[in-house]
Amino acid sequence: MPVFSQKFQRNTATTPAPVNIAADKFLKQCHLAGKPVQNICRKDQQLIYLALRQAQYQVDLITEEDIFEGNRLAQYKAVYFAGEWVHARAVPKLEAWVRAGGILYASTGLGHLNQYNEKESSFLKLLGVTTTAPAKNLFHHRPLLELPLADPIDTTHSADLPLTAIAFQQKLRPAAPELRTLVRWRDGTAAVTERPLGKGKIFAVGTAIGASFWKTALRPLPWARGGRVNLYNPVGFDAAARRILNLGTDAALLRRQVECSTEGVESWLLENSKGTLLTLINWTNDERLENLQVTLQLPAVPKQVFSVTNQKPLAFEHVNGTLEFTTDLGPADFIQVLK
């Protein structure tokens, strides 16, 4: 499953993203306010990527060129897109992929502009919506500094899943008869929509879902730059925000190749002829997780499961293609699963 990364600032577009200094309370106080650059879209790609990684999904990164030149979509079940800009050549490929069974999840601008910074309707048409121009009150942030203090633009309807619009808000209007509104803003306009298309589905979210999700676990602290006093790993994310973020993974019926008993443990898999290397990264605030239970989808019974950090083999069970073992995890560990 990939997160879709834009190349807007490296292609033929020359007009930078407009930044309204007056709308951003942080930029008004910043010594760089003379030449601010919007980073919300790229930051949201990073936050979505990290959220899915910490949820133990195996996530890749692809670009527009990978889609319309490299034809890499066929190997994925779900694609997450975040950004105001989309290369128009990628849209027909995405549509064909969705019709064949892919799950597309779009947010943070919904590709309402093309690679030349011009208004673009093709991606919105694929999503099945029309939309207002994004309302923005945050153009540049650092997740542990400005984001915890960011003011919400709006919240969702009291009868729907609670979600706060951070940085971006777009009010969506159905433009396809089969479109369903899943979540509404307070005024009743659509905030999250679902469109079945062929064998696949498309979700559209009218805010910066990465920033909105991460803010639920952030706390205001002075200059959270390092050390053990002010630096922390965000944990305890809002369940409703996670449900909205996970709409794409749930619809794709993605099965985690690795599952851990503690939330916030990131996993990476690397395979070769000798076996599988499983990297575990501890994003919790516990220096050591005792008796972490790990489940790995593995067809064949391994000869050995070995913890590099703890320098010892681990007891394991293998039943019906599922490997299970327990380990103590500090900041990180390499687990060798040898054939």
Side-chain angles (χ1 to χ4, degrees):
M1 176 182 62
V3 172
F4 186 1
S5 173
Q6 305 151 297
K7 286 191 170 181
F8 169 72
Q9 294 187 7
R10 284 182 285 173
N11 61 24
T12 53
T14 57
T15 305
V19 173
N20 182 0
I21 297 174
D24 188 319
K25 69 178 183 181
F26 304 111
L27 283 177
K28 288 189 294 186
Q29 306 173 54
C30 179
H31 69 284
L32 297 176
K35 293 184 178 180
V37 176
Q38 175 178 304
N39 80 340
I40 296 298
C41 297
R42 293 193 183 278
K43 187 66 70 174
D44 236 47
Q45 293 162 13
Q46 296 168 9
L47 295 178
I48 292 170
Y49 177 91
L50 189 55
L52 294 173
R53 272 288 179 187
Q54 291 188 13
Q56 294 149 23
Y57 290 105
Q58 303 301 305
V59 189
D60 289 337
L61 184 69
I62 62 173
T63 67
E64 291 103 325
E65 285 84 350
D66 293 326
I67 292 173
F68 61 73
E69 293 178 358
N71 195 29
R72 288 182 56 190
L73 284 175
Q75 62 186 298
Y76 300 113
K77 293 182 178 180
V79 168
Y80 275 67
F81 170 88
E84 293 191 76
W85 298 271
V86 66
H87 201 299
R89 288 180 61 192
V91 178
K93 297 282 189 178
L94 285 165
E95 179 175 353
W97 171 78
V98 171
R99 289 185 181 277
I103 304 298
L104 175 62
Y105 182 107
S107 67
T108 324
L110 302 178
H112 70 106
L113 300 170
N114 66 16
Q115 67 270 31
Y116 303 110
N117 205 30
E118 302 166 338
K119 288 185 178 181
E120 179 63 41
S121 62
S122 62
F123 194 67
L124 291 171
K125 184 178 180 180
L126 175 59
L127 301 180
V129 301
T130 60
T131 180
T132 58
K136 307 177 191 178
N137 70 347
L138 185 64
F139 292 85
H140 191 286
H141 75 80
R142 289 164 290 183
L144 296 182
L145 290 176
E146 290 86 8
L147 188 55
L149 300 170
D151 294 326
I153 297 177
D154 200 356
T155 58
T156 51
H157 195 280
S158 59
D160 296 349
L161 281 175
L163 180 70
T164 300
I166 300 297
F168 271 62
Q169 185 192 30
Q170 287 169 285
K171 297 182 178 182
L172 314 182
R173 302 184 185 92
E178 67 276 16
L179 195 80
R180 292 177 55 216
T181 297
L182 304 182
V183 181
R184 299 165 294 168
W185 296 119
R186 282 187 301 174
D187 63 3
T189 57
V192 182
T193 61
E194 175 188 25
R195 183 192 183 191
L197 185 64
K199 297 179 181 180
K201 286 184 180 180
I202 302 172
F203 297 94
V205 181
T207 190
I209 188 61
S212 298
F213 173 76
W214 278 86
K215 193 177 187 303
T216 66
L218 297 174
R219 54 182 188 264
L221 287 174
W223 291 100
R225 291 175 129 178
R228 294 180 177 270
V229 177
N230 292 332
L231 187 62
Y232 66 98
N233 290 322
V235 295
F237 295 93
D238 180 74
R242 185 175 289 281
R243 283 181 62 186
I244 294 173
L245 178 67
N246 284 1
L247 284 170
T249 60
D250 293 345
L253 301 176
L254 290 181
R255 186 180 184 185
R256 294 176 176 88
Q257 292 177 271
V258 182
E259 294 186 58
C260 299
S261 57
T262 298
E263 181 179 311
V265 176
E266 182 179 353
S267 61
W268 289 76
L269 288 172
L270 183 64
E271 298 179 350
N272 66 15
S273 59
K274 295 182 180 180
T276 300
L277 179 65
L278 169 61
T279 302
L280 298 175
I281 304 171
N282 179 4
W283 287 97
T284 75
N285 292 299
D286 296 325
E287 293 186 2
R288 191 169 182 83
L289 297 173
E290 304 288 342
N291 299 317
L292 178 71
Q293 298 174 21
V294 181
T295 302
L296 173 63
Q297 302 305 315
L298 193 72
V301 180
K303 292 181 179 179
Q304 186 183 60
V305 178
F306 187 83
S307 167
V308 174
T309 297
N310 297 316
Q311 281 295 294
K312 67 176 185 180
L314 304 174
F316 65 89
E317 292 185 358
H318 187 277
V319 180
N320 297 327
T322 299
L323 174 69
E324 296 183 352
F325 62 89
T326 299
T327 187
D328 296 335
L329 180 65
D333 196 0
F334 294 114
I335 305 294
Q336 295 175 330
V337 183
L338 304 175
K339 291 182 179 180

Tab-separated table of all heavy atoms in Angstrom, residues 250-274:
chain	number	residue	atom	x	y	z
A	250	ASP	N	-9.306	-0.444	5.647
A	250	ASP	CA	-10.407	-1.353	5.971
A	250	ASP	C	-11.144	-1.786	4.710
A	250	ASP	O	-11.511	-2.957	4.554
A	250	ASP	CB	-11.380	-0.684	6.947
A	250	ASP	CG	-10.769	-0.443	8.319
A	250	ASP	OD1	-9.715	-1.044	8.609
A	250	ASP	OD2	-11.324	0.360	9.089
A	251	ALA	N	-11.403	-0.832	3.802
A	251	ALA	CA	-12.117	-1.165	2.572
A	251	ALA	C	-11.317	-2.117	1.693
A	251	ALA	O	-11.884	-2.949	0.980
A	251	ALA	CB	-12.453	0.106	1.799
A	252	ALA	N	-9.992	-2.002	1.753
A	252	ALA	CA	-9.127	-2.878	0.958
A	252	ALA	C	-8.938	-4.243	1.604
A	252	ALA	O	-8.291	-5.122	1.023
A	252	ALA	CB	-7.764	-2.214	0.748
A	253	LEU	N	-9.509	-4.414	2.797
A	253	LEU	CA	-9.377	-5.680	3.529
A	253	LEU	C	-7.907	-6.068	3.688
A	253	LEU	O	-7.524	-7.237	3.546
A	253	LEU	CB	-10.150	-6.807	2.825
A	253	LEU	CG	-11.656	-6.576	2.633
A	253	LEU	CD1	-12.279	-7.717	1.843
A	253	LEU	CD2	-12.356	-6.410	3.972
A	254	LEU	N	-7.094	-5.054	3.978
A	254	LEU	CA	-5.658	-5.308	4.107
A	254	LEU	C	-5.378	-6.108	5.376
A	254	LEU	O	-5.798	-5.732	6.474
A	254	LEU	CB	-4.888	-3.996	4.143
A	254	LEU	CG	-4.841	-3.198	2.843
A	254	LEU	CD1	-4.034	-1.932	3.026
A	254	LEU	CD2	-4.249	-4.032	1.723
A	255	ARG	N	-4.682	-7.179	5.215
A	255	ARG	CA	-4.257	-7.989	6.350
A	255	ARG	C	-2.836	-7.608	6.715
A	255	ARG	O	-1.935	-7.612	5.860
A	255	ARG	CB	-4.317	-9.473	6.007
A	255	ARG	CG	-4.021	-10.390	7.183
A	255	ARG	CD	-4.108	-11.849	6.772
A	255	ARG	NE	-3.912	-12.729	7.913
A	255	ARG	CZ	-3.843	-14.055	7.821
A	255	ARG	NH1	-3.958	-14.635	6.623
A	255	ARG	NH2	-3.656	-14.796	8.900
A	256	ARG	N	-2.623	-7.258	7.954
A	256	ARG	CA	-1.276	-6.881	8.381
A	256	ARG	C	-0.358	-8.091	8.316
A	256	ARG	O	-0.670	-9.140	8.875
A	256	ARG	CB	-1.304	-6.315	9.799
A	256	ARG	CG	-2.056	-5.000	9.934
A	256	ARG	CD	-2.092	-4.585	11.395
A	256	ARG	NE	-2.717	-3.295	11.590
A	256	ARG	CZ	-4.026	-3.113	11.776
A	256	ARG	NH1	-4.844	-4.147	11.758
A	256	ARG	NH2	-4.510	-1.907	11.956
A	257	GLN	N	0.785	-7.930	7.664
A	257	GLN	CA	1.765	-9.008	7.621
A	257	GLN	C	2.425	-9.195	8.980
A	257	GLN	O	2.893	-10.284	9.301
A	257	GLN	CB	2.824	-8.725	6.555
A	257	GLN	CG	2.285	-8.794	5.132
A	257	GLN	CD	3.341	-8.445	4.117
A	257	GLN	OE1	3.522	-7.284	3.761
A	257	GLN	NE2	4.065	-9.442	3.652
A	258	VAL	N	2.477	-8.105	9.744
A	258	VAL	CA	3.028	-8.153	11.104
A	258	VAL	C	2.028	-7.495	12.039
A	258	VAL	O	1.499	-6.420	11.733
A	258	VAL	CB	4.381	-7.423	11.195
A	258	VAL	CG1	4.947	-7.532	12.616
A	258	VAL	CG2	5.364	-7.967	10.183
A	259	GLU	N	1.748	-8.121	13.176
A	259	GLU	CA	0.896	-7.521	14.197
A	259	GLU	C	1.593	-7.633	15.545
A	259	GLU	O	2.152	-8.683	15.872
A	259	GLU	CB	-0.471	-8.210	14.245
A	259	GLU	CG	-1.298	-8.006	12.996
A	259	GLU	CD	-2.704	-8.565	13.128
A	259	GLU	OE1	-3.420	-8.129	14.051
A	259	GLU	OE2	-3.079	-9.433	12.326
A	260	CYS	N	1.547	-6.539	16.311
A	260	CYS	CA	2.167	-6.499	17.633
A	260	CYS	C	1.108	-6.233	18.685
A	260	CYS	O	0.109	-5.570	18.420
A	260	CYS	CB	3.256	-5.427	17.692
A	260	CYS	SG	4.609	-5.698	16.526
A	261	SER	N	1.335	-6.720	19.884
A	261	SER	CA	0.351	-6.602	20.953
A	261	SER	C	0.253	-5.189	21.507
A	261	SER	O	-0.716	-4.861	22.191
A	261	SER	CB	0.685	-7.576	22.087
A	261	SER	OG	1.999	-7.345	22.586
A	262	THR	N	1.214	-4.336	21.201
A	262	THR	CA	1.214	-2.955	21.684
A	262	THR	C	1.105	-2.003	20.502
A	262	THR	O	1.850	-2.125	19.522
A	262	THR	CB	2.506	-2.650	22.478
A	262	THR	OG1	2.561	-3.509	23.617
A	262	THR	CG2	2.528	-1.202	22.945
A	263	GLU	N	0.182	-1.047	20.581
A	263	GLU	CA	0.045	-0.043	19.534
A	263	GLU	C	1.260	0.875	19.529
A	263	GLU	O	1.795	1.222	20.571
A	263	GLU	CB	-1.223	0.779	19.770
A	263	GLU	CG	-1.485	1.835	18.720
A	263	GLU	CD	-2.772	2.594	18.985
A	263	GLU	OE1	-3.807	1.951	19.232
A	263	GLU	OE2	-2.733	3.842	18.948
A	264	GLY	N	1.706	1.268	18.345
A	264	GLY	CA	2.828	2.193	18.242
A	264	GLY	C	4.157	1.520	17.987
A	264	GLY	O	5.210	2.140	18.142
A	265	VAL	N	4.140	0.236	17.582
A	265	VAL	CA	5.371	-0.460	17.203
A	265	VAL	C	5.383	-0.584	15.685
A	265	VAL	O	4.523	-1.236	15.097
A	265	VAL	CB	5.477	-1.842	17.868
A	265	VAL	CG1	6.738	-2.569	17.374
A	265	VAL	CG2	5.513	-1.706	19.380
A	266	GLU	N	6.343	0.062	15.061
A	266	GLU	CA	6.457	0.030	13.604
A	266	GLU	C	7.237	-1.205	13.174
A	266	GLU	O	8.174	-1.637	13.853
A	266	GLU	CB	7.176	1.290	13.120
A	266	GLU	CG	7.319	1.383	11.616
A	266	GLU	CD	8.009	2.661	11.183
A	266	GLU	OE1	8.259	3.527	12.042
A	266	GLU	OE2	8.303	2.778	9.979
A	267	SER	N	6.859	-1.785	12.040
A	267	SER	CA	7.522	-3.000	11.560
A	267	SER	C	7.929	-2.841	10.101
A	267	SER	O	7.213	-2.228	9.306
A	267	SER	CB	6.597	-4.204	11.715
A	267	SER	OG	5.410	-4.024	10.960
A	268	TRP	N	9.080	-3.406	9.774
A	268	TRP	CA	9.581	-3.438	8.385
A	268	TRP	C	9.998	-4.869	8.064
A	268	TRP	O	10.608	-5.547	8.896
A	268	TRP	CB	10.800	-2.530	8.221
A	268	TRP	CG	10.502	-1.068	8.269
A	268	TRP	CD1	10.224	-0.317	9.366
A	268	TRP	CD2	10.468	-0.178	7.153
A	268	TRP	NE1	10.012	0.985	9.009
A	268	TRP	CE2	10.150	1.108	7.658
A	268	TRP	CE3	10.663	-0.330	5.777
A	268	TRP	CZ2	10.039	2.231	6.844
A	268	TRP	CZ3	10.555	0.785	4.964
A	268	TRP	CH2	10.237	2.043	5.496
A	269	LEU	N	9.675	-5.299	6.855
A	269	LEU	CA	10.042	-6.642	6.425
A	269	LEU	C	10.999	-6.574	5.242
A	269	LEU	O	10.797	-5.801	4.304
A	269	LEU	CB	8.799	-7.435	6.008
A	269	LEU	CG	7.864	-7.883	7.135
A	269	LEU	CD1	6.591	-8.465	6.543
A	269	LEU	CD2	8.544	-8.897	8.033
A	270	LEU	N	12.042	-7.384	5.298
A	270	LEU	CA	12.995	-7.502	4.198
A	270	LEU	C	13.290	-8.981	4.020
A	270	LEU	O	13.717	-9.651	4.972
A	270	LEU	CB	14.277	-6.728	4.506
A	270	LEU	CG	15.350	-6.690	3.413
A	270	LEU	CD1	14.815	-5.961	2.175
A	270	LEU	CD2	16.612	-5.995	3.917
A	271	GLU	N	13.051	-9.497	2.824
A	271	GLU	CA	13.193	-10.928	2.583
A	271	GLU	C	14.314	-11.199	1.587
A	271	GLU	O	14.545	-10.422	0.660
A	271	GLU	CB	11.872	-11.510	2.057
A	271	GLU	CG	10.710	-11.363	3.046
A	271	GLU	CD	9.419	-11.919	2.502
A	271	GLU	OE1	9.379	-12.249	1.288
A	271	GLU	OE2	8.444	-12.011	3.267
A	272	ASN	N	14.995	-12.313	1.798
A	272	ASN	CA	15.958	-12.801	0.804
A	272	ASN	C	15.999	-14.322	0.879
A	272	ASN	O	15.158	-14.944	1.537
A	272	ASN	CB	17.347	-12.174	1.015
A	272	ASN	CG	17.990	-12.595	2.324
A	272	ASN	OD1	17.564	-13.555	2.974
A	272	ASN	ND2	19.038	-11.901	2.714
A	273	SER	N	16.958	-14.917	0.213
A	273	SER	CA	16.998	-16.377	0.104
A	273	SER	C	17.268	-17.070	1.439
A	273	SER	O	16.953	-18.257	1.607
A	273	SER	CB	18.071	-16.793	-0.911
A	273	SER	OG	19.351	-16.310	-0.496
A	274	LYS	N	17.841	-16.334	2.403
A	274	LYS	CA	18.176	-16.944	3.684
A	274	LYS	C	17.064	-16.815	4.721
A	274	LYS	O	17.126	-17.439	5.778
A	274	LYS	CB	19.455	-16.315	4.239
A	274	LYS	CG	20.691	-16.578	3.396
A	274	LYS	CD	21.931	-15.972	4.018
A	274	LYS	CE	23.163	-16.255	3.162
A	274	LYS	NZ	24.399	-15.666	3.761
